[in-house]
Amino acid sequence: MRDSTVNSELESAAAVLQAENQEKPEIILQAENVGKVFPGKEGDVRAVDSVDLELRAGEIFGLVGESGCGKSTLSRLLLRLLDCSSGRITYHGEDITSLPRPQLQGLRRKMSLVFQDPNTSLNPRMTIYDNLARPFKIHNLARGREEITVEIVRLLKSMGLQAEHMIRYPHELSGGQKQRVVVARALAVDPEIIFLDEPTSALDVSVQAKILRLLARIKQEKDLTYFFISHDINLIRVISDRIGVMYLGKIVELGEVGDIFSEPYHPYTRGLFSSVPEPRPERKIETVLMGEVPSPVDPPEGCYFHPRCPEVMSVCRSKSPEFTIRQGRRTACHLFEKD
Ligand SMILES: Nc1ncnc2c1ncn2[C@@H]1O[C@H](COP(=O)(O)OP(=O)(O)OP(=O)(O)O)[C@@H](O)[C@H]1O
Ligand SMILES: [Mg+2]
């Protein structure tokens, strides 16, 4: 028998370890200084510019920003569907920035993608069975038609669909049913992370809520991590644990959703949030976004937001702001470098 001092020492050591674990959530995926440049007719498009972020196990990370700011490109870089022009991506600490093709195949089983529009994600000339059978065949996850059928029926049922949907073509299904099939296909490989790129914005409002509830249930059941892209700021507010705010290819603010929504620091975040109808008008933050988003072919000098910023200072016109970290929140703005 151990004496009581040893026991209490063990207990306190365990408590410290537990506290440390809580403080340091497991990082699954990490982007360091990641950039993507697309060659264009009028010059190079800097779609993603020096992005740093990490995805933590079990969280919903919400990404917001205006159209064209690079949200989809960033998710494709993280998924390794696109090659980075610069920077580094690690998955469970392993560098995956330039993995050769055979190893990429293994990664494809760990991360799935659900696009906005089920009409373009499903092959219209294939039945639902054939659409869903593809991941099983590509990844050798089931042998023969019989085994694949069993898996597909299981998936369809877990999505609230029936086995008979298998023999239909996508055009015979409603928008919501098609998106359920797309989610089913994303789940076929039993992934760890699902990237959801505006997964409900092509659907009717009544269907959106059902798909969101379904996504929430699956996340719990399968212990998934979500990278959730949406224009809908109110939606991002209710579903996310942490959020990143993106402007012209850069993340300008990143942190816990509650902190950022209760007090957005970055003038762009404030402007973005103020464009959303506020259910409690007394909380309305008066920063209106003025002017157009500059072209990613020729971004402004210094802080990319400075031509539209109501709080612009001279340093903003010449120097790109670094992230300032305050209580776990990162903000890339010269206003916060001062104090
Ligand atoms: N394959 C490509 N070739 C050239 N430019 C591209 C390509 N893909 C994206 N871009 C450009 O990169 C920038 C970022 O595009 P992206 O689609 O990532 O934005 P987004 O934030 O997802 O927009 P949205 O909210 O409209 O979906 C845009 O200027 C876009 O025109
Ligand atoms: Mg997009």
Side-chain angles (χ1 to χ4, degrees), residues 254-325:
L254 188 152
E256 300 287 331
V257 70
D259 295 346
I260 296 186
F261 273 95
S262 59
E263 194 190 352
Y265 290 160
H266 199 287
Y268 176 66
T269 315
R270 280 186 254 152
L272 190 68
F273 289 0
S274 69
S275 60
V276 178
E278 168 61 60
R280 282 174 289 174
E282 73 279 5
R283 287 188 39 179
K284 183 134 176 79
I285 308 148
E286 280 304 337
T287 308
V288 179
L289 283 178
M290 291 175 302
E292 294 292 311
V293 181
S295 161
V297 175
D298 187 21
E301 288 285 301
C303 171
Y304 287 180
F305 186 57
H306 89 255
R308 300 172 81 193
C309 183
E311 295 179 66
V312 62
M313 305 177 292
S314 60
V315 62
C316 310
R317 298 191 174 93
S318 57
K319 190 168 167 261
S320 177
E322 301 285 327
F323 267 136
T324 304
I325 305 177

Side-chain angles (χ1 to χ4, degrees), residues 38 45 47 66-73 198 231 296:
F38 292 113
V45 179
E66 288 163 290
S67 183
C69 71
K71 303 181 295 297
S72 298
T73 306
E198 304 266 7
H231 278 105

Side-chain angles (χ1 to χ4, degrees), residues 1-237:
M1 267 189 57
R2 284 197 204 110
D3 71 28
S4 60
T5 350
V6 176
N7 268 347
S8 71
E9 272 174 17
L10 277 175
E11 273 166 29
S12 63
V16 170
L17 274 176
Q18 237 172 10
E20 272 185 6
N21 277 344
Q22 276 163 10
E23 277 166 25
K24 286 186 199 154
E26 187 194 351
I27 293 172
I28 313 184
L29 194 62
Q30 185 155 26
E32 292 165 77
N33 210 16
V34 161
K36 180 70 187 175
V37 178
F38 292 113
K41 280 190 201 124
E42 283 149 36
D44 288 347
V45 179
R46 286 202 220 173
V48 171
D49 196 335
S50 320
V51 164
D52 284 311
L53 65 81
E54 76 285 343
L55 204 54
R56 298 174 181 173
E59 75 172 345
I60 299 184
F61 185 91
L63 189 64
V64 285
E66 288 163 290
S67 183
C69 71
K71 303 181 295 297
S72 298
T73 306
L74 175 58
S75 67
R76 281 167 175 75
L77 292 171
L78 294 171
L79 278 154
R80 291 292 287 104
L81 292 170
L82 276 176
D83 287 332
C84 300
S85 308
S86 52
R88 198 169 101 105
I89 299 175
T90 51
Y91 173 70
H92 287 290
E94 186 200 344
D95 194 332
I96 58 160
T97 326
S98 39
L99 269 192
R101 207 166 250 279
Q103 276 138 290
L104 269 183
Q105 183 84 338
L107 198 68
R108 300 267 173 270
R109 285 192 53 186
K110 302 291 177 194
M111 305 191 232
S112 288
L113 171 63
V114 171
F115 298 103
Q116 171 174 2
D117 186 357
N119 293 315
T120 52
S121 334
L122 297 173
N123 186 329
R125 286 179 296 278
M126 284 186 186
T127 59
I128 300 303
Y129 174 92
D130 286 326
N131 269 287
L132 287 176
R134 288 199 67 208
F136 289 104
K137 289 178 182 166
I138 292 171
H139 296 285
N140 271 326
L141 298 174
R143 281 173 211 287
R145 203 171 167 89
E146 219 167 286
E147 213 176 299
I148 293 179
T149 307
V150 170
E151 290 298 325
I152 289 178
V153 171
R154 187 180 56 79
L155 274 176
L156 287 173
K157 292 205 165 151
S158 72
M159 292 297 116
L161 296 165
Q162 279 95 50
E164 55 150 32
H165 284 115
M166 200 161 59
I167 54 167
R168 306 263 179 91
Y169 283 87
H171 71 88
E172 296 176 89
L173 270 56
S174 71
Q177 286 173 329
K178 274 183 275 194
Q179 198 62 317
R180 282 168 196 261
V181 174
V182 174
V183 175
R185 190 182 54 187
L187 286 171
V189 293
D190 201 14
E192 191 176 10
I193 310 169
I194 303 188
F195 287 75
L196 299 143
D197 192 347
E198 304 266 7
T200 58
S201 51
L203 305 172
D204 290 347
V205 178
S206 61
V207 183
Q208 284 184 10
K210 286 189 186 139
I211 297 287
L212 287 170
R213 272 200 293 275
L214 178 75
L215 288 170
R217 177 171 61 75
I218 301 164
K219 181 180 176 296
Q220 281 242 299
E221 281 172 10
K222 301 197 173 283
D223 211 10
L224 291 162
T225 301
Y226 284 170
F227 188 88
F228 200 111
I229 297 175
S230 182
H231 278 105
D232 186 337
I233 290 167
N234 280 328
L235 173 61
I236 285 288
R237 182 207 296 238

